[in-house]
């Protein structure tokens, strides 16, 4: 069936997902979640794809969960369908996901960006969790991931007052990795994805897994997990290629297996 809410493309070894509900500033409906998760899972099992970029429009990455869709829903409907749960499945995707954020990343939009592995923002990007203004609170992990990203005091400030911050402040706080001129956003994000896509794919997968451990286990366990993955990297063809290329002063060519 044809996609209604996103555009899915492949650029060489990079999978590109563009949120495509411009009239509502890419408000996230349940359909957006279904289509986005299906696209991510398809990229994750596609040997041709090594990294993924999620982006929106120049005006909005996503202005939040779709308020019109949610407004009259009763608790039992949310509970029985486990509303918003599909988004959490993003953490099961093993390939790197870059959020290319321009314009508004509010509420669920900010949370979607934080569900990605890192954020590249354009100068006009705005991040915030304005749910409190609607009588609710973040529901796609924002209270947890924003707190991990920028600390308690600022997370409380943003979540309790509903104010948003610009790209420069988000960069200074460590919420975003890079800020680039508006017109360069997609190009820079795709270049970063292509860079990752050219590396030893098992090592890329291991590196993502290792960093994510930092959020789940005590330091000593995370370090031990990393060390085992590091040792496992020596079972990959790419390790032999990468080190042989360095020793012989040539460029490595990773065969991705
Ligand atoms: C549904 C939305 C929407 C949303 C914008 N629109 N955000 N529709 N859900 N989250 C629609 C508007 O209704 C409008 O439709 C069109 O997009 C353009 O928006 P405007 O408001 O006219 O644009 P502007 O004046 O530039 O203001 C932009 C804005 C504002 C500041 C981003 O739209 C806004 O405050 N949006 C809501 C942000 C928000 O509260 N997000 C959190 C949602 S709750 P029409 O038809 O009038 O042209 C949430 C819950 C998280 O995310 C929990 C888990 C997901």
């Amino acid at each position: 069936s044809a996609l209604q809410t996103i555009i899915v493309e492949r650029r060489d070894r990079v999978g590109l997902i563009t949120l495509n509900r411009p009239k509502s500033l890419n408000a996230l409906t349940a359909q957006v979640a279904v289509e986005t998760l299906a696209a991510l899972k398809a990229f994750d099992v596609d040997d041709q794809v090594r990294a993924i970029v999620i982006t929106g429009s120049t005006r909005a990455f996503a202005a939040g969960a779709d308020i019109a869709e949610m407004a009259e829903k009763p608790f039992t409907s949310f509970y029985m369908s486990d509303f918003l749960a599909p988004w959490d499945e993003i953490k099961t995707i093993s390939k790197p996901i870059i959020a290319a954020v321009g314009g508004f990343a509010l509420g669920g939009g900010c949370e979607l960006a934080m569900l990605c592995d890192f954020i590249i923002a354009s100068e006009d990007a705005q991040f915030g969790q304005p749910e409190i203004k609607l009588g609710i609170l973040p529901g796609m992990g924002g209270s947890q991931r924003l707190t991990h990203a920028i600390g308690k005091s600022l997370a409380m400030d943003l979540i309790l007052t509903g104010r948003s911050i610009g790209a420069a402040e988000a960069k200074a706080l460590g919420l975003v990795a890079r800020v680039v001129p508006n017109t360069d956003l997609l190009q820079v994000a795709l270049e970063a994805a292509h860079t990752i896509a050219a590396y030893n794919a098992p090592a890329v997968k291991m590196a993502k897994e290792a960093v994510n451990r930092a959020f789940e286990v005590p330091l000593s366990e995370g370090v031990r997990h990393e060390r085992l993955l590091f040792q496992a990297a020596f079972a990959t063809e790419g390790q032999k290629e990468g080190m042989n290329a360095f020793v012989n002063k040539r460029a490595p060519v990773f065969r991705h297996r």
Side-chain angles (χ1 to χ4, degrees):
S1 61
L3 294 170
Q4 292 160 24
T5 65
I6 61 173
I7 298 166
V8 178
E9 298 160 81
R10 197 157 66 72
R11 305 273 178 98
D12 198 13
R13 287 199 153 134
V14 172
L16 175 62
I17 297 173
T18 305
L19 303 173
N20 187 32
R21 301 187 71 230
K23 284 184 200 138
S24 60
L25 304 183
N26 290 329
L28 305 170
T29 57
Q31 182 74 10
V32 180
V34 167
E35 292 185 1
T36 302
L37 262 298
L40 287 170
K41 286 176 182 178
F43 282 148
D44 212 32
V45 297
D46 182 345
D47 282 346
Q48 301 300 308
V49 173
R50 306 286 175 198
I52 301 163
V53 172
I54 300 181
T55 196
S57 67
T58 48
R59 214 175 142 213
F61 178 71
D66 192 293
I67 298 167
E69 185 184 66
M70 290 185 292
E72 300 302 331
K73 284 265 167 72
F75 164 74
T76 40
S77 156
F78 282 162
Y79 186 68
M80 295 311 283
S81 65
D82 204 4
F83 182 62
L84 299 178
W87 290 112
D88 216 42
E89 289 176 42
I90 291 181
K91 68 176 183 240
T92 69
I93 304 299
S94 67
K95 290 172 186 170
I97 308 172
I98 300 172
V101 175
F104 298 111
L106 300 177
C110 185
E111 293 169 297
L112 173 57
M114 291 190 291
L115 275 159
C116 297
D117 294 312
F118 64 96
I119 301 171
I120 298 179
S122 67
E123 283 167 344
D124 72 352
Q126 278 190 51
F127 298 85
Q129 300 287 161
E131 289 92 339
I132 201 74
K133 297 179 187 173
L134 299 167
I136 56 169
L137 68 156
M140 271 168 64
S143 66
Q144 308 304 298
R145 291 195 180 86
L146 192 62
T147 306
H148 277 292
I150 67 176
K152 173 182 164 176
S153 192
L154 255 155
M156 285 287 194
D157 178 1
L158 298 190
I159 289 168
L160 295 178
T161 70
R163 80 179 174 94
S164 51
I165 56 174
E169 191 176 354
K171 168 84 168 65
L173 294 168
L175 179 62
V176 315
R178 311 186 204 179
V179 179
V180 301
N182 298 342
T183 50
D184 297 351
L185 177 65
L186 187 59
Q187 190 203 327
V188 172
L190 287 172
E191 274 171 18
H194 284 301
T195 297
I196 295 165
Y199 292 136
N200 181 24
V204 168
K205 179 172 172 169
M206 289 172 187
K208 170 169 169 165
E209 183 183 325
V211 173
N212 279 331
R213 281 309 267 186
F215 295 95
E216 305 290 346
V217 300
L219 179 63
S220 57
E221 287 302 314
V223 169
R224 171 149 184 77
H225 191 85
E226 179 200 70
R227 193 161 63 237
L228 285 167
L229 287 171
F230 175 86
Q231 292 161 358
F234 284 72
T236 68
E237 189 184 303
Q239 175 270 326
K240 302 287 175 278
E241 168 61 12
M243 292 194 171
N244 181 278
F246 181 86
V247 168
N248 291 296
K249 303 189 189 301
R250 62 174 176 83
V253 180
F254 295 111
R255 291 176 61 215
H256 302 300
R257 57 183 69 153

